[in-house]
Amino acid sequence: MICILLVAGHGTFLETQIKNDDTGLYSHLTGVPKALLPGTGGKKILDFWWETVNMRQLFTEVYLVTNADKYKYYERWATANDFPVENVVNDGSTTLEDRLGAVADLELAIRSRKLQDDIMVIAGDMLCADQNFDIAQVIRFFRSKPGELIIYYELEESEKSSSRGIVEVCPDTHRITRFLEKPQDGLTASRLASVVFYCIQRDTLSYLSDFLSLQPQATDRTFGQFWEWLINEKQLDVFGMKLPTGFQLIGQVGLSDYTRWLTHYSTKQQDNPAKPITCRSYARVGLMGNPSDGFNGKTIAMSISNFWAEVTLVESQTLVLVPHPLNDPTEFGSLQDLFCISRKEGYLGGLRLLQATCKKFYQFCSKQGIALTKQNFTLKYDTNIPRQVGLAGSSAIVSATLKCLMKFYNITDNDLPKPVRANFILNVETDELFITAGLQDRVVQVYEGLIYMDFSKKLMEEQGYGNYVSMEMSNLPLFWLAYLSDPSDSGRIHSNVRQRWLNGEPLVVDAMKSFAELTDQARTALQHRDWSRLAQLMDQNFELRRSVYTDDCLGPGNLKMVHLARKFGSAVKLPGSGGAVVGLCLDQARLVEMRQAFQQAGCVFCVIAPYNPSASAVGGQD
């Protein structure tokens, strides 16, 4: 692949303002070409791009196209920066009036140097907010697609779409369906702005001369008009890749805008590295319908603030995953100590969850056409969610890790929408770590609060996710939670039910439909604050589950907790895969007695504190 840096523009506006500036602050920049003006990080703007593309393993050659007026400046820059002077192309123009136009400058370099390879084109006078993106990832994505590639970014609130080339991108194929050069308000809802950063296949290069033959005027030989013609008229396959950073072409702005953007981007770079990112995800209780979420059923679940997982990310020189001192032990007091810890906690801590999330995140961004910055970080986690009692402790760590990664790399909800995020978290666990799981827990930890979920086959097949609805959380009754202090692996409780369901066994298929019906009834009871009816439905949910999974599968510990709760007249069911029970005791006077009974039976008991994101200032992020 060959890279061509374009710096042939005549920046008369900015150059004139620097020359006429009365403050004297910029007198040393008089006559300096735009690309050689100071950029972020103490470098010239062009220095950054040369460092980015100066990789022989990626580019066989790098060329620089400039004009005759500024040629000497770039020749001097080339000798000082080990850039091959013979690769500096002079387009012969000396003024704005006799300029060739950006597309003609590109075509000149290709024609004069007889280039016959894929081309990467970059505007060398483009100020970039983040100077650490991975250009190798851009090339890999380009080579994975059967067409050209346009880099775009999401406009900041202060930027107007009418000042940019705007792209409309298919979220599934990443194909650019329409290109609009500086559209008027109302023509498109897209806020995705193209920048002069393209990859063009060698077989498409002939279109450059075809376009130029249609555009005799230099003012019409812009890349914006070229892409409008190629995409909208010629219907060529052109794909888009997002860089999660901002760009500004210096040739388009005056002195005040240049200094404002420079300050803005420099401040961003100074603020980001030192500030740790801490995100939290909460445990959840399944109130109704579980475990039908893995069987095209319906469920209602709630996030609770009693227990949470917290992940902290700090930028660092290398990528480091920090083992948790309790959950990822590597040192033991004795062989007996190792035996006791392993029997109770199992062999797998949270470190594998961090690693699998990072791996899947990079894979997702590469596939989705999102070029990540080349920044490293240190990840550490902490959690107080009891292990192996079915309260979604594993997915909470994955969810909190994903939140940190999204913040660190500036990945937005548009890049990774909430329904897709829940699928992502599930795939980390099922595909990477082979953990038996359903979507319910991940949906609740992404949306947070009290969530109604419909996982019907039709919805899952048509859109890839279910229908998720946040429910009103004010004035909920007091739910309680109890769990075994020495649980077995909660994953075992799923038994062979999935295979029986796949085989079409009527008992299992009908039960999953009944779970969905109970969930709809529970939704109505919650909406009407009919707590007696909700309690009845919770008991029915457990008995239905018992009939399908059998007592042998549920295990004596779970059955013991259910029996104990019913002695006190409380509704009770399993909130997850096993090891804990959730209940609704309408007789508040008996709640204290029940707590004591559970504690005497060796269980941990607590009143649930629902987590309501709308009532929290941090929304589960901190």
Side-chain angles (χ1 to χ4, degrees):
M1 187 172 220
I2 292 169
C3 179
I4 299 177
L5 300 171
L6 299 179
V7 292
H10 294 271
T12 55
F13 186 44
L14 178 57
E15 190 171 341
T16 300
Q17 289 200 342
I18 290 175
K19 183 178 179 180
N20 296 333
D21 179 59
D22 295 331
T23 66
L25 295 174
Y26 307 100
S27 58
H28 62 293
L29 300 178
T30 301
V32 175
K34 297 172 296 180
L36 300 183
L37 290 172
T40 54
K43 303 174 186 176
K44 296 180 176 68
I45 297 170
L46 186 57
D47 290 346
F48 158 66
W49 290 111
W50 173 227
E51 289 178 13
T52 301
V53 302
N54 186 19
M55 290 187 280
R56 286 293 175 184
Q57 66 270 34
L58 298 180
F59 301 103
T60 56
E61 292 286 353
V62 179
Y63 291 90
L64 185 76
V65 185
T66 183
N67 55 54
D69 185 43
K70 302 297 183 185
Y71 177 79
K72 277 295 178 183
Y73 282 93
Y74 288 110
E75 185 182 53
R76 185 69 55 84
W77 171 85
T79 57
N81 288 274
D82 199 26
F83 185 96
V85 177
E86 64 275 14
N87 285 5
V88 179
V89 180
N90 187 339
D91 76 357
S93 67
T94 56
T95 66
L96 187 64
E97 287 69 31
D98 70 349
R99 70 188 184 278
L100 273 64
V103 177
D105 279 319
L106 173 61
E107 193 272 340
L108 170 67
I110 294 168
R111 175 168 42 83
S112 65
R113 302 307 170 98
K114 298 180 173 58
L115 306 182
Q116 295 180 335
D117 201 350
D118 295 340
I119 302 291
M120 176 178 284
V121 187
I122 301 174
D125 61 349
M126 188 162 53
L127 196 62
C128 183
D130 197 320
Q131 302 189 351
N132 292 306
F133 63 83
D134 188 353
I135 204 160
Q137 192 181 9
V138 174
I139 295 174
R140 284 195 297 270
F141 186 71
F142 165 61
R143 288 177 173 158
S144 73
K145 297 296 180 183
E148 324 319 312
L149 180 66
I150 288 178
I151 297 299
Y152 65 86
Y153 74 103
E154 194 161 351
L155 290 171
E156 297 190 11
E157 289 184 12
S158 60
E159 294 182 276
K160 294 182 178 179
S161 57
S162 58
S163 66
R164 297 285 189 275
I166 301 298
V167 293
E168 295 176 352
V169 185
C170 173
D172 298 321
T173 65
H174 314 295
R175 186 175 182 270
I176 295 177
T177 56
R178 194 162 63 134
F179 189 104
L180 298 97
E181 176 66 358
K182 300 178 181 178
Q184 295 179 347
D185 292 343
L187 279 181
T188 179
S190 175
R191 297 276 298 166
L192 306 178
S194 162
V195 294
V196 183
F197 193 157
Y198 318 118
C199 294
I200 304 174
Q201 298 179 116
R202 70 172 74 184
D203 294 338
T204 309
L205 297 178
S206 60
Y207 281 92
L208 294 170
S209 56
D210 293 344
F211 170 76
L212 292 173
S213 67
L214 298 172
Q215 305 292 351
Q217 301 297 320
T219 52
D220 299 324
R221 293 178 165 186
T222 65
F223 279 112
Q225 287 169 288
F226 172 71
W227 290 116
E228 274 190 323
W229 173 74
L230 203 66
I231 294 170
N232 303 352
E233 293 186 32
K234 305 302 287 185
Q235 297 287 302
L236 258 65
D237 287 334
V238 179
F239 297 87
M241 185 177 199
K242 181 182 179 182
L243 279 180
T245 184
F247 293 90
Q248 177 62 52
L249 267 175
I250 298 304
Q252 298 177 344
V253 301
L255 180 58
S256 61
D257 287 323
Y258 162 66
T259 54
R260 179 173 58 83
W261 278 95
L262 193 60
T263 302
H264 177 60
Y265 286 166
S266 298
T267 302
K268 272 190 170 186
Q269 291 190 357
Q270 292 169 6
D271 287 349
N272 286 340
K275 189 176 180 181
I277 298 170
T278 299
C279 297
R280 180 178 287 188
S281 284
Y282 294 89
R284 67 89 195 93
V285 289
L287 295 180
M288 193 62 57
N290 59 304
S292 72
D293 55 312
F295 306 89
N296 297 131
K298 299 177 181 179
T299 67
I300 295 173
M302 180 172 67
S303 50
I304 63 174
S305 60
N306 305 68
F307 305 107
W308 63 85
E310 191 172 83
V311 174
T312 299
L313 182 153
V314 182
E315 188 170 359
S316 56
Q317 289 294 316
T318 58
L319 200 157
V320 180
L321 306 179
V322 180
H324 191 278
L326 291 178
N327 298 327
D328 304 292
T330 57
E331 204 172 302
F332 302 89
S334 64
L335 190 59
Q336 181 186 16
D337 182 36
L338 181 149
F339 167 78
C340 294
I341 291 173
S342 301
R343 182 177 64 86
K344 183 177 181 181
E345 304 289 349
Y347 300 102
L348 302 172
L351 202 62
R352 62 184 179 138
L353 299 169
L354 303 186
Q355 185 171 352
T357 307
C358 291
K359 184 236 181 185
K360 202 75 173 176
F361 179 77
Y362 182 87
Q363 181 181 333
F364 172 86
C365 291
S366 297
K367 186 177 178 182
Q368 293 299 115
I370 301 170
L372 300 176
T373 54
K374 289 194 293 185
Q375 294 169 278
N376 285 325
F377 52 83
T378 294
L379 271 181
K380 63 179 181 178
Y381 78 98
D382 194 11
T383 180
N384 67 355
I385 301 176
R387 295 185 65 180
Q388 299 181 349
V389 296
L391 295 178
S394 294
S395 60
I397 294 173
V398 175
S399 175
T401 303
L402 180 58
K403 288 178 183 178
C404 284
L405 291 171
M406 288 180 68
K407 278 192 170 185
F408 184 66
Y409 287 108
N410 194 29
I411 303 301
T412 67
D413 286 346
N414 290 330
D415 300 321
L416 189 49
K418 284 185 175 181
V420 179
R421 208 179 307 166
N423 290 351
F424 176 98
I425 296 168
L426 178 64
N427 291 337
V428 168
E429 297 180 83
T430 57
D431 296 353
E432 299 296 321
L433 302 172
F434 309 104
I435 297 172
T436 301
L439 263 173
Q440 170 189 256
D441 302 357
R442 292 86 203 155
V443 173
V444 175
Q445 285 167 338
V446 167
Y447 283 81
E448 299 181 324
L450 180 64
I451 311 296
Y452 167 87
M453 293 158 274
D454 181 354
F455 303 101
S456 73
K457 185 178 180 181
K458 185 173 185 291
L459 283 171
M460 296 300 293
E461 288 180 350
E462 287 181 356
Q463 60 187 26
Y465 50 86
N467 180 35
Y468 312 135
V469 181
S470 296
M471 298 182 65
E472 174 61 43
M473 295 189 69
S474 60
N475 301 315
L476 286 174
L478 278 181
F479 294 99
W480 57 266
L481 177 74
Y483 56 91
L484 300 169
S485 56
D486 187 12
S488 62
D489 186 349
S490 62
R492 295 173 191 160
I493 203 166
H494 290 288
S495 184
N496 64 345
V497 171
R498 170 159 291 280
Q499 191 57 52
R500 291 162 61 195
W501 179 73
L502 291 171
N503 293 340
E505 183 180 319
L507 174 66
V508 179
V509 172
D510 291 343
M512 296 307 163
K513 292 178 181 177
S514 297
F515 278 123
E517 292 169 0
L518 291 175
T519 300
D520 284 334
Q521 294 175 46
R523 184 184 186 186
T524 301
L526 282 161
Q527 290 170 336
H528 292 104
R529 290 176 168 70
D530 188 346
W531 309 136
S532 296
R533 179 59 180 152
L534 180 62
Q536 293 172 0
L537 292 167
M538 290 177 70
D539 283 331
Q540 290 178 40
N541 193 116
F542 176 77
E543 292 304 326
L544 180 60
R545 183 171 187 164
R546 188 177 191 176
S547 70
V548 175
Y549 284 83
T550 74
D551 286 359
D552 287 340
C553 183
L554 291 182
N558 291 311
L559 294 173
K560 176 184 175 182
M561 289 190 291
V562 170
H563 177 70
L564 187 58
R566 286 180 172 173
K567 283 177 59 177
F568 291 89
S570 176
V572 65
K573 65 180 291 296
L574 303 189
S577 53
V581 291
V582 61
L584 174 56
C585 184
L586 299 177
D587 185 355
Q588 298 297 310
R590 306 204 68 184
L591 199 60
V592 175
E593 297 176 53
M594 187 166 57
R595 178 197 293 268
Q596 293 172 346
F598 268 95
Q599 290 171 340
Q600 288 173 3
C603 300
V604 181
F605 184 98
C606 63
V607 174
I608 286 175
Y611 177 72
N612 186 351
S614 62
S616 171
V618 295
Q621 294 292 312
D622 299 301

